[in-house]
Amino acid sequence: MTAEPPTIASARIEIRYCTQCRWLLRAAWMAQELLTTFEAEIASLALVPGTGGVFEVRVDGVPVWERVADGGFPGIGELKRRVRDRIAPERALGHVDRVAREGRD
């Protein structure tokens, strides 16, 4: 029996947050959640300070959440689903997926 080769982490995530609004703690918490959930898939995660009310999450340069366009901040479950859909679409998220099917985040 042979073991499957390890997955090579390749996803690059960027969380851009507004320093004027003091959203560093929110960005850092979301970064920690993503790093814990997708530890095998994430090659790097950067917190990028910005201004003007910005809060955006990008995966490999593609926006997965934009505060203005998406209407506020994501629930962590929704953010994990959007990131998962970009970097590991076949992966189940356990309770996060069950809660989404029940209509809660």
Side-chain angles (χ1 to χ4, degrees):
M1 178 177 229
T2 60
E4 291 185 30
T7 304
I8 298 172
S10 63
R12 301 195 182 283
I13 297 176
E14 184 178 285
I15 300 175
R16 185 175 304 271
Y17 65 95
C18 179
T19 57
Q20 295 167 314
C21 302
R22 305 261 187 231
W23 289 337
L24 172 59
L25 288 178
R26 182 186 308 258
W29 171 69
M30 290 186 178
Q32 178 267 318
E33 287 287 326
L34 293 175
L35 286 166
T36 300
T37 301
F38 301 105
E39 63 186 19
E41 293 88 2
I42 296 175
S44 66
L45 191 147
L47 296 176
V48 181
T51 58
V54 67
F55 194 90
E56 299 175 353
V57 180
R58 295 176 177 266
V59 176
D60 297 327
V62 177
V64 295
W65 190 271
E66 296 180 65
R67 187 186 65 81
V68 173
D70 291 305
F73 295 98
I76 198 62
E78 177 63 20
L79 182 59
K80 287 180 180 183
R81 282 190 296 278
R82 289 186 184 198
V83 169
R84 183 265 320 267
D85 291 349
R86 298 281 316 160
I87 68 176
E90 71 290 344
R91 182 170 175 192
L93 290 176
H95 75 282
V96 171
D97 286 332
R98 282 193 304 278
V99 168
R101 282 192 303 272
E102 296 169 3
R104 294 175 274 139
D105 199 47

